[in-house]
Amino acid sequence: MNDADLPDIPFPGHDKMIAALDAAVCAGDSQAVTRAVRQTLCDMIRDRDVHLPACVYEPITDHYARRELYRSPTHGYSVVAMTWGPGQGTPVHDHSGLWCVEGVWDGELEITQYELLEHDGERFRFRPAGGIQAGPGSAGSLIPPHEYHTIRNASDDRVAVSLHIYKAEMQCCSMFAPQGEAEWYERADRTLKTDEAA
């Protein structure tokens, strides 16, 4: 894919956000980068000059929406807006070894971290390791190997929007389905698709 084919959706404040993210991803190691990206994302959520495109407020009935708004031709990072209809969420999943910073742009999301206790082949044992109810302006980072989590919009009637900055395009991940035994899950590969952004 050449640079002209990379996702780059215009929106008010686009250039301001990308300039700030470009600087943040050059901050050093993964810890420093995610700290800088998290601060940048919090700043952008509160910035009155920055408005995500209208499409990110439009939920899709049968799944949460993933709309890639930008991919850096220089640094490779990816900016994905996710739209969560009432009750929509994810199973326990990972990020295929990519660091990620996730921020709530609008609405509220329940985020639960999971600790990997052990695994046997494709069977993994997880325990919830804390959760938060995240509102607008809050952001957190996931750095492998501490990347297992769920996200859910618990509202019965409100849409939630989050913005995710990934180290690179995230094309696949592992999903973990609960088994009959307590704390045991079975891993399955999942190819991730993106929904149209405009």
Side-chain angles (χ1 to χ4, degrees):
M1 183 178 286
N2 64 44
D3 291 357
D5 295 330
L6 294 177
D8 192 3
I9 306 301
F11 55 87
H14 168 285
D15 293 350
K16 185 177 193 177
M17 178 185 286
I18 298 310
L21 288 172
D22 282 350
V25 298
C26 296
D29 64 10
S30 293
Q31 293 280 351
V33 166
T34 55
R35 194 167 40 248
V37 171
R38 189 169 61 245
Q39 184 58 57
T40 296
L41 187 51
C42 288
D43 292 345
M44 292 299 108
I45 293 169
R46 294 182 181 98
D47 193 316
R48 293 173 185 255
D49 294 336
V50 181
H51 302 276
L52 296 182
C55 67
V56 308
Y57 296 94
E58 298 169 7
I60 295 174
T61 305
D62 63 348
H63 65 278
Y64 69 89
R66 295 181 79 252
R67 296 177 173 104
E68 190 174 20
L69 303 182
Y70 180 77
R71 195 174 326 142
S72 171
T74 305
H75 305 291
Y77 67 84
S78 173
V79 178
V80 177
M82 295 191 190
T83 312
W84 310 86
Q88 291 180 341
T90 71
V92 177
H93 66 283
D94 68 13
H95 281 174
S96 294
L98 300 176
W99 61 252
C100 175
V101 175
E102 304 175 341
V104 179
W105 200 275
D106 195 50
E108 288 193 349
L109 291 170
E110 287 181 357
I111 298 150
T112 305
Q113 299 278 139
Y114 285 80
E115 177 186 0
L116 176 60
L117 303 174
E118 61 180 306
H119 74 91
D120 177 19
E122 296 301 298
R123 295 178 72 238
F124 289 69
R125 187 169 159 241
F126 290 108
R127 180 172 297 152
I132 61 167
Q133 185 81 19
S138 60
S141 55
L142 297 159
I143 304 172
H146 306 288
E147 59 186 311
Y148 303 104
H149 65 294
T150 60
I151 303 176
R152 188 171 84 92
N153 177 5
S155 173
D156 292 331
D157 56 7
R158 282 201 65 191
V159 171
V161 175
S162 56
L163 201 64
H164 303 243
I165 317 299
Y166 296 99
K167 178 180 180 180
E169 178 189 15
M170 192 166 124
Q171 298 177 315
C172 61
C173 69
S174 294
M175 298 286 189
F176 301 89
Q179 301 301 292
E181 300 172 71
E183 300 184 339
W184 282 95
Y185 295 73
E186 186 169 353
R187 188 185 79 83
D189 291 325
R190 179 170 174 191
T191 300
L192 296 174
K193 297 179 179 167
T194 54
D195 298 292
E196 186 175 351

